Amino acid sequence: DSVGVGLFTYPVLMAADILLYQAGKVPVGEDQRQHLELTRDIARRFNDLYAKKKKRNEKPFRDCEALIVPDGARVMSLQDGTSKMSKSAENDNSRINLLDPPNVITKKIKKCKTDNGFEGLEWDNPERPECTNLLTIYQAVSGKSKEEIGEEVKDMNWGTFKPILAEAIVAHLSPIQDRYHELMNDKPYLYSVLREGALEANMVADDTLSKARTAMGFFQFDEMDES
């Protein structure tokens, strides 16, 4: 009785968004993989029921795949290394926002939860989830390998590492923020891109809906013979 309807409708709505626009690869986090599996099940079930004899490129729905980065696919909260970092969390200090200015990023990293009683920094110690999380973030923004980072931080303490991490995050986000502000200051161009994208998306969506209706045997009004 206490389960919200969103538990049932959200996965289906996500699947509809993917299938409607014929997405082949879908960038998601590791925790979203099950939604992609549901999407694939829906597409295959529908195609088998209503378009089994059609060629692969003529079937209404495309079989999609999850596009998950090999490293940093699951980033945890800055305040709890066992909970996912989320933009909906009440505590803004639990996450790094893409548009956070350098001083805010530095402040958040300085205040983020760490541990004590250990020598150096290390990966994959189940007793140090915050350590693994911060090293994972560092790997994602620095481009360094896990081995390189392990060698770099093995003798570090948090007071030494946190400024390095903050600087790496700031450097990584800087070109993204610059491009964002550039686009926001050129509204005519931004709106033209949005209009063009919307037109292309609508064309794909209309074609998908038409194929799905035809496969199910629904009458297409645009096929009416006016004579």
Side-chain angles (χ1 to χ4, degrees):
D1 293 338
S2 61
V3 176
V5 68
L7 178 65
F8 303 100
T9 59
Y10 174 73
V12 177
L13 289 174
M14 181 176 176
D17 281 339
I18 295 169
L19 296 175
L20 183 63
Y21 299 103
Q22 299 292 327
K25 293 185 180 295
V26 185
V28 293
E30 183 63 43
D31 59 316
Q32 296 290 310
R33 186 185 292 274
Q34 66 268 29
H35 294 308
L36 264 294
E37 292 302 322
L38 173 63
T39 302
R40 289 160 62 90
D41 288 344
I42 292 174
R44 291 172 179 177
R45 179 63 173 164
F46 186 96
N47 289 340
D48 284 345
L49 281 174
Y50 301 108
K52 193 170 186 178
K53 295 182 179 180
K54 290 184 178 295
K55 296 179 180 179
R56 184 174 182 180
N57 62 344
E58 295 177 347
K59 293 182 183 295
F61 298 132
R62 186 176 181 179
D63 202 354
C64 62
E65 297 179 1
L67 180 61
I68 300 177
V69 295
D71 300 304
R74 188 174 179 85
V75 179
M76 313 308 284
S77 167
L78 296 178
Q79 298 299 313
D80 180 1
T82 62
S83 298
K84 176 186 172 185
M85 183 180 288
S86 172
K87 63 182 179 182
S88 61
E90 293 184 6
N91 186 356
D92 190 60
N93 287 324
S94 67
R95 61 184 174 271
I96 299 294
N97 302 300
L98 289 179
L99 297 180
D100 279 345
N103 64 311
V104 173
I105 293 174
T106 301
K107 186 177 180 180
K108 287 182 177 181
I109 295 300
K110 185 177 181 179
K111 289 185 173 183
C112 70
K113 182 182 179 182
T114 51
D115 51 35
N116 52 49
F118 296 91
E119 292 185 5
L121 307 181
E122 59 183 333
W123 294 91
D124 302 327
N125 184 336
E127 296 182 7
R128 309 185 70 183
E130 286 76 25
C131 187
T132 294
N133 184 44
L134 294 181
L135 292 179
T136 299
I137 294 173
Y138 184 49
Q139 181 185 20
V141 300
S142 69
K144 297 180 180 180
S145 69
K146 192 172 182 178
E147 292 72 22
E148 288 176 319
I149 294 174
E151 184 65 26
E152 179 184 355
V153 306
K154 64 180 182 180
D155 297 319
M156 281 189 186
N157 57 35
W158 289 116
T160 303
F161 177 69
K162 282 187 174 183
I164 295 174
L165 174 59
E167 184 178 345
I169 295 174
V170 169
H172 183 76
L173 293 182
S174 179
I176 298 174
Q177 295 177 354
D178 290 343
R179 182 58 174 158
Y180 169 83
H181 293 300
E182 180 183 341
L183 290 174
M184 292 303 293
N185 289 328
D186 189 356
K187 294 296 178 63
Y189 171 72
L190 179 60
Y191 293 154
S192 70
V193 172
L194 292 174
R195 282 193 296 270
E196 182 179 342
L199 288 173
E200 291 183 6
N202 284 336
M203 289 176 61
V204 174
D206 288 343
D207 184 60
T208 301
L209 287 174
S210 178
K211 286 181 178 179
R213 290 182 182 128
T214 299
M216 296 179 72
F218 283 101
F219 185 76
Q220 299 289 312
F221 286 98
D222 55 359
E223 297 176 357
M224 290 179 63
D225 185 358
E226 297 182 356
S227 61

